[in-house]
Amino acid sequence: MLVILSIVMVVADVRYSVFAPVRPYLSLLVTPIQVVVNTPQKVFYWSKEHLTSREGLVKENKSLNQEILILRSRMQKLTALQAENVRLRELLDASQRVDEKVVMAEVIGFDQNAYSHKILIDKGFSSGAYVGQPVLDATGVLGQVVETTAYSSRVLLIADASHFLPVQLSRTGFRGVLRGTGDLKRMELMSVPHSVDIRKGDILTTSGLDKRFPSGYPVGVVRSVKHVAGKSYADVEVVPLAQLGRSRHVMLIDKAKQS
């Protein structure tokens, strides 16, 4: 009966438009049903599109982070190369100011002994290196060669506690002995009478009295001068000018070959 009634209603509506006046009202009743029926499908497609978009964003974000890391590593490498280039230029300029013949060398190792400050360089006696040879970097006196092999040498830094270096105060000409303390950033000027005119910021250079280091090369700058009552001498702290423990390229001074 329902089927027959439905067919009659469809035919009557098609041929005679019986339901035309009430069709807008009937659509109001059907619309909520259509919304309910279509909602699961819309939710499915929306979820699929959202998840796909999120997955794409995650992949893109991961890719961008990787690119950022690569670019940062390249930038760090470029920065390191630029800094090395600056150091090499400074070393070249310093070598041109040195009166004696020089041999350029590269630092290839450091002593692991906490009580000794030594570095290993890539020049040995096959390149003319010898025990007692002065070693400088671009900014000052670094140390002296204490051991050589055919293709490498060991250099004792001036900050080592066993190292003593005759120096001269550039401003007044006062001469003294600079002793290493074992601290790469601090040395001591020994036996300085209280009456000596010495100030913070004074530059110390090699005096040449030891016949090992040529005179006139910068060694350190006075950091502090303390006059302690009851002590025979003033306490004078000196900061090395050379980049101890940080220099990568150094110069070996050949005193025997004058330019």
Side-chain angles (χ1 to χ4, degrees):
M1 291 297 295
L2 291 175
V3 172
I4 295 173
L5 181 60
S6 299
I7 294 173
V8 171
M9 292 175 64
V10 170
V11 172
D13 185 57
V14 171
R15 301 192 64 176
Y16 304 106
S17 301
V18 175
F19 298 102
V22 298
R23 185 175 292 111
Y25 303 101
L26 292 175
S27 64
L28 291 176
L29 297 175
V30 175
T31 298
I33 299 175
Q34 291 177 335
V35 171
V36 172
V37 171
N38 292 331
T39 295
Q41 186 177 10
K42 289 183 177 180
V43 170
F44 173 76
Y45 285 120
W46 179 86
S47 300
K48 183 178 180 181
E49 182 179 357
H50 177 72
L51 291 176
T52 302
S53 176
R54 184 178 183 280
E55 184 178 358
L57 288 174
V58 170
K59 289 183 178 179
E60 183 178 2
N61 187 41
K62 185 177 180 180
S63 177
L64 289 174
N65 284 332
Q66 292 176 348
E67 290 182 13
I68 289 173
L69 289 176
I70 293 174
L71 290 175
R72 283 181 176 175
S73 65
R74 289 178 179 175
M75 182 177 294
Q76 291 173 355
K77 187 174 182 180
L78 288 174
T79 302
L81 289 174
Q82 184 178 14
E84 183 177 353
N85 188 37
V86 170
R87 289 194 297 269
L88 288 174
R89 286 183 179 179
E90 291 175 346
L91 193 62
L92 179 60
D93 292 339
S95 67
Q96 292 175 351
R97 296 192 299 268
V98 173
D99 295 332
E100 290 76 19
K101 290 291 186 180
V102 300
V103 176
M104 311 302 288
E106 185 174 354
V107 178
I108 57 176
F110 295 87
D111 246 344
Q112 300 299 320
N113 188 347
Y115 301 99
S116 177
H117 293 296
K118 296 177 183 177
I119 59 174
L120 191 66
I121 59 175
D122 64 348
K123 291 294 186 293
F125 57 75
S126 61
S127 300
Y130 57 88
V131 174
Q133 188 171 18
V135 182
L136 283 69
D137 69 0
T139 54
V141 176
L142 193 77
Q144 61 178 297
V145 175
V146 292
E147 180 184 340
T148 63
T149 64
Y151 302 106
S152 65
S153 297
R154 200 171 299 277
V155 177
L156 181 68
L157 301 181
I158 58 174
D160 188 272
S162 64
H163 195 279
F164 296 85
L165 178 63
V167 293
Q168 181 172 333
L169 195 62
S170 297
R171 184 172 57 85
T172 64
F174 170 77
R175 292 173 177 175
V177 176
L178 193 61
R179 181 180 71 88
T181 63
D183 184 346
L184 294 179
K185 297 181 180 180
R186 185 176 66 89
M187 302 177 69
E188 295 178 352
L189 188 60
M190 302 175 60
S191 304
V192 179
H194 293 286
S195 59
V196 170
D197 179 13
I198 185 170
R199 309 169 189 170
K200 178 181 178 180
D202 280 344
I203 301 297
L204 295 172
T205 61
T206 52
S207 66
L209 293 180
D210 60 348
K211 305 300 181 180
R212 176 166 293 182
F213 288 87
S215 63
Y217 290 126
V219 178
V221 58
V222 176
R223 176 164 61 185
S224 66
V225 180
K226 298 179 181 178
H227 300 279
V228 180
K231 295 187 68 172
S232 302
Y233 301 104
D235 294 332
V236 181
E237 285 192 0
V238 177
V239 179
L241 287 173
Q243 304 297 308
L244 305 182
R246 290 181 291 171
S247 293
R248 183 176 176 183
H249 298 90
V250 299
M251 295 180 291
L252 302 176
I253 306 301
D254 191 349
K255 307 194 305 299
K257 298 178 180 180
Q258 300 295 324
S259 58

